[in-house]
Amino acid sequence: MKKPTILLIEDDELDIISVERSLKKLESEYVLHSAYNGIEALKMLRDNALGLIPDVILLDINMPRMNGIEFLKVIREDKNLKDLKVFIMTTSSEGDDRSEAEKLGISGYIIKPLNYTENTKRSDSMDAFVQFHLRKILLDENI
Amino acid sequence: MKLSTQILLAFTLIILLSVADSYTNYMLSKKVQRNSEFLAKSEEIIRNSNKTHKTIIEMQSAFRGYLLTDDRTFLHSYFQGIKIVPILIKEQELRLGNTNKQRAILDSINLLQTSWVKYSEELIQARTQKPVAYRKLFESSLKKHVGKKMNDAIAGKFSRFDKIEYKKRKYHTDMLLGSLKYAHTFSFIFLTLTVIVGVLSTIFIMYVTNRRINSMVRLAENISKGNFTIVEDTRNDELTQLATSLNSMSSKLDKNIHELKNRNAELNKFAYVVSHDLKAPIRGIHNVVSWIEEDHYNELSPKLRKYLEIIPQKTKRMEALINGLLDYARLNIKAPPQRINTNALVHEITDSIITRNISLQIDDLPDLYTERIKLEQVFANLISNAVKYTTQEGGKIKISCKIFPNLYEFSVKDNGIGIAREYHQKIFEIFQTLREQNEQESTGVGLAIVKKIIDDQQESIAVKSELGKGAEFIFTWRNN
């Protein structure tokens, strides 16, 4: 069976590592591709149109060159890419970003906590948080 | 035109009209007085004229009586007349003055009378002493009505004299009536004008000032409510100056407050962004440390493990400091007031903050109508402070409230380590903490937040404490 594919668009190396580690701890196996910004992600999606149509995209908002919102706008207008499943994963809790993203059609909006002490009750670390949400997304979306 | 000039003009006009009215009446009263003086004098002239005529007629009848009866008693009135008449005529001459028609008549009366007296004396003398001469005279003059003619002429002159006097009197009376009518008309006109000018100028000034003063009062009210409008006033007087000053004050205030709001918003955004961006690297450091510990713990030397353990302590403190700053920056956000069950609020706070064994006593607290977040932050910080500074065993916290009219006095009391008197003011300053730096929980922001909220709400807070004897924070909260 083909392994489900995940595209992570994120400029922070730490977050990429965190997602990689979290995925490794999950029960099934996944293929993870990562891009550092919207432009790079678009290039990847368009160049290998057949080879890389991810089952889900995890999208950060604050990124250099092309941010998450701009990326969303572009793919929603691209007839080959407009149906992609996108989850926002960001530290931005600004209401404007969220409402704009929701207007462009997203499957979920996850705010990564900056305060790990506040979340000690739920999970021990950033990894645990990411893992919890990834498992939920992949289960809910039946991937 | 200036408002004061307008008022001055109106009053001057009114005063001038009143003066004109008074002057008319004064002139009238003078005329009346002159007329009454004239009437009194005229009365005397007529009386004198009548008396003189009467005396002359009595002389004439006395003279005739004597001539007929030869009885000398008749002559008493005659001699009386001879004495009195010149005196009366003299008096009348003085009253009349020198040159007029009546004086001429009087002179001719005097002349006629003198000649009659001469004639009558001659006859009386003759009647007494010389019967022959008397007879001759009787024939020559008496029978020819010489005396009677003179008498008639005198009577005619008197009649003319009186007629002139009455005519003069009538003329004066007519004149007086005329000027009375004239004065009444003018007085009425002046009075009416005074009333009209007074009423009109009052209405005008009220109209000009009232509306404008009202609009300025409204402006002042608007300013006090924070709406910096302006008033339109295109006249050019003192009120316009006031309006201009008010307008410039309003726009200046508007500008300043606008600037202040902008700066506050900028500052808030700045604090938020800074805090937010500061947190990301801390999270990164924390992640890396946790990954090292997770994946490579066995490869680490004991010394390295010990050093590595210090990093999360420091990052946690850094995070607590940044959170404190964020909370402090968020204080400026305003929320609408709402009904608050203070009991429930305090229980919620204690449930989330108190994680260890502390004896907690919460009295029955009143319901309030206020901004929830502010009251919540005050209680949360005071309670968390009390928790921090009580000992692990036997800690006690008591929350109570005293109710005054429109004012509540809440108290959060603990039996912790207490605060020395010299620090009572200092504890409310930001980043002042009386503990060691590396104790991660105390950042020194909590009480600064409490103080800022209390100051912003124009409430007051005080601390009662001594070193080693616990602390009690008492703050007031108005119930709007």
Side-chain angles (χ1 to χ4, degrees), chain B residues 373-390:
Chain B
I373 185 80
K374 302 270 158 81
L375 190 64
E376 190 180 341
Q377 278 189 317
V378 171
F379 270 119
N381 280 300
L382 289 181
I383 294 168
S384 116
N385 225 48
V387 173
K388 274 181 220 164
Y389 295 105
T390 48

Side-chain angles (χ1 to χ4, degrees), chain A residues 12 14-15 17-18 21 25 91-93 112-118 126-127, chain B residues 269 272 276 279-280 282-284 286-288 291 294-295 312 315-316 319 323:
Chain A
D12 191 336
L14 277 169
D15 286 294
I17 296 173
S18 179
R21 291 169 60 87
K25 287 177 188 161
T91 54
S92 165
S93 56
K112 287 181 281 185
L114 282 169
N115 288 0
Y116 44 84
T117 44
E118 276 174 14
M126 174 69 192
D127 279 5
Chain B
K269 190 151 174 106
Y272 183 78
H276 190 269
K279 274 184 182 178
I282 296 170
R283 192 186 56 137
H286 185 77
N287 274 345
V288 172
W291 293 340
E294 232 172 87
D295 299 353
T315 53
K316 273 189 183 175
E319 193 193 23
N323 281 342

Side-chain angles (χ1 to χ4, degrees), chain B residues 90-108:
Chain B
K90 200 88 201 155
E91 274 175 20
Q92 195 75 312
E93 275 174 357
L94 282 174
R95 269 185 209 110
L96 289 172
N98 285 326
T99 49
N100 70 42
K101 230 175 177 178
Q102 280 173 307
R103 178 63 193 266
I105 295 168
L106 189 69
D107 286 346
S108 65

Side-chain angles (χ1 to χ4, degrees), chain B residues 44-222:
Chain B
E44 278 171 14
I45 289 169
I46 294 288
R47 212 181 295 132
N48 176 286
S49 150
N50 289 344
K51 201 176 172 188
T52 314
H53 195 190
K54 193 182 154 223
T55 314
I56 289 171
I57 289 167
E58 272 170 10
M59 280 174 78
Q60 287 167 2
S61 39
F63 164 68
R64 276 196 294 273
Y66 172 69
L67 288 189
L68 280 173
T69 58
D70 197 18
D71 182 352
R72 281 199 79 88
T73 51
F74 276 104
L75 283 177
H76 176 73
S77 299
Y78 176 83
F79 289 120
Q80 195 79 16
I82 285 182
K83 259 192 276 168
I84 290 171
V85 169
I87 297 169
L88 287 174
I89 285 177
K90 200 88 201 155
E91 274 175 20
Q92 195 75 312
E93 275 174 357
L94 282 174
R95 269 185 209 110
L96 289 172
N98 285 326
T99 49
N100 70 42
K101 230 175 177 178
Q102 280 173 307
R103 178 63 193 266
I105 295 168
L106 189 69
D107 286 346
S108 65
I109 287 173
N110 197 15
L111 219 67
L112 278 168
Q113 175 68 7
T114 313
S115 46
W116 181 80
V117 167
K118 215 178 188 177
Y119 154 81
S120 57
E121 266 180 348
E122 210 177 321
L123 271 170
I124 289 166
Q125 220 168 22
R127 177 83 168 115
T128 322
Q129 294 150 13
K130 309 165 190 156
V132 184
Y134 173 69
R135 191 146 305 268
K136 209 169 133 197
L137 274 171
F138 187 84
E139 289 299 327
S140 67
S141 53
L142 208 61
K143 257 201 168 170
K144 283 178 184 162
H145 303 290
V146 174
K148 191 176 181 305
K149 274 178 195 154
M150 276 190 242
N151 287 348
D152 288 349
I154 287 173
K157 300 249 178 222
F158 268 115
S159 157
R160 254 187 81 204
F161 183 90
D162 287 357
K163 213 178 265 169
I164 288 171
E165 188 60 36
Y166 284 123
K167 214 170 152 188
K168 255 166 82 183
R169 215 191 265 189
K170 190 175 177 313
Y171 171 74
H172 272 268
T173 314
D174 286 350
M175 282 281 290
L176 184 71
L177 280 174
S179 56
L180 253 175
K181 218 171 146 189
Y182 183 75
H184 278 159
T185 312
F186 271 85
S187 182
F188 178 76
I189 289 169
F190 286 140
L191 195 69
T192 314
L193 279 177
T194 311
V195 171
I196 288 171
V197 168
V199 169
L200 283 184
S201 55
T202 308
I203 289 172
F204 176 73
I205 288 165
M206 266 166 66
Y207 169 78
V208 166
T209 55
N210 263 21
R211 196 171 44 87
R212 296 158 71 204
I213 288 174
N214 282 343
S215 66
M216 279 180 240
V217 168
R218 266 200 305 281
L219 172 63
E221 279 167 358
N222 276 343

Side-chain angles (χ1 to χ4, degrees), chain A:
Chain A
M1 205 183 93
K2 193 173 165 271
K3 290 178 193 166
T5 315
I6 298 167
L7 174 59
L8 173 65
I9 309 170
E10 168 67 74
D11 63 324
D12 191 336
E13 186 74 38
L14 277 169
D15 286 294
I16 298 173
I17 296 173
S18 179
V19 171
E20 268 172 9
R21 291 169 60 87
S22 304
L23 280 175
K24 269 180 202 155
K25 287 177 188 161
L26 294 180
E27 294 75 22
S28 324
E29 284 185 41
Y30 301 91
V31 177
L32 178 70
H33 297 277
S34 55
Y36 285 109
N37 57 58
I39 301 270
E40 200 179 309
L42 270 179
K43 200 165 181 293
M44 284 170 81
L45 286 169
R46 284 172 175 163
D47 285 359
N48 315 302
L50 291 173
L52 185 69
I53 293 298
D55 295 286
V56 69
I57 291 177
L58 300 174
L59 178 64
D60 187 18
I61 290 199
N62 294 320
M63 287 179 295
R65 295 184 65 193
M66 181 188 275
N67 69 27
I69 300 291
E70 287 162 349
F71 173 76
L72 258 180
K73 276 182 193 161
V74 173
I75 62 160
R76 289 307 180 222
E77 278 167 15
D78 186 317
K79 66 178 190 325
N80 294 321
L81 306 172
K82 67 178 193 297
D83 294 325
L84 283 171
K85 214 164 257 164
V86 177
F87 284 82
I88 304 283
M89 250 183 140
T90 180
T91 54
S92 165
S93 56
E94 275 183 44
D96 285 357
D97 285 346
R98 186 175 191 140
S99 60
E100 206 161 341
E102 275 166 357
K103 262 188 245 159
L104 291 164
I106 48 167
S107 306
Y109 195 102
I110 300 151
I111 299 171
K112 287 181 281 185
L114 282 169
N115 288 0
Y116 44 84
T117 44
E118 276 174 14
N119 296 289
T120 45
K121 279 174 194 165
R122 208 182 331 157
S123 53
D124 289 319
S125 65
M126 174 69 192
D127 279 5
F129 179 85
V130 173
Q131 204 180 320
F132 170 81
H133 280 282
L134 276 178
R135 179 177 280 131
K136 196 168 172 296
I137 289 168
L138 297 169
L139 266 179
D140 288 354
E141 300 297 327
N142 207 5
I143 298 163

Side-chain angles (χ1 to χ4, degrees), chain B residues 263-305:
Chain B
R263 280 192 195 166
N264 264 345
E266 247 168 54
L267 205 66
N268 281 348
K269 190 151 174 106
F270 174 76
Y272 183 78
V273 168
V274 164
S275 306
H276 190 269
D277 290 355
L278 282 176
K279 274 184 182 178
I282 296 170
R283 192 186 56 137
I285 295 166
H286 185 77
N287 274 345
V288 172
V289 171
S290 72
W291 293 340
I292 293 170
E293 282 178 340
E294 232 172 87
D295 299 353
H296 308 283
Y297 195 75
N298 293 329
E299 298 159 32
L300 301 177
S301 68
K303 200 157 198 178
L304 205 52
R305 283 177 197 168

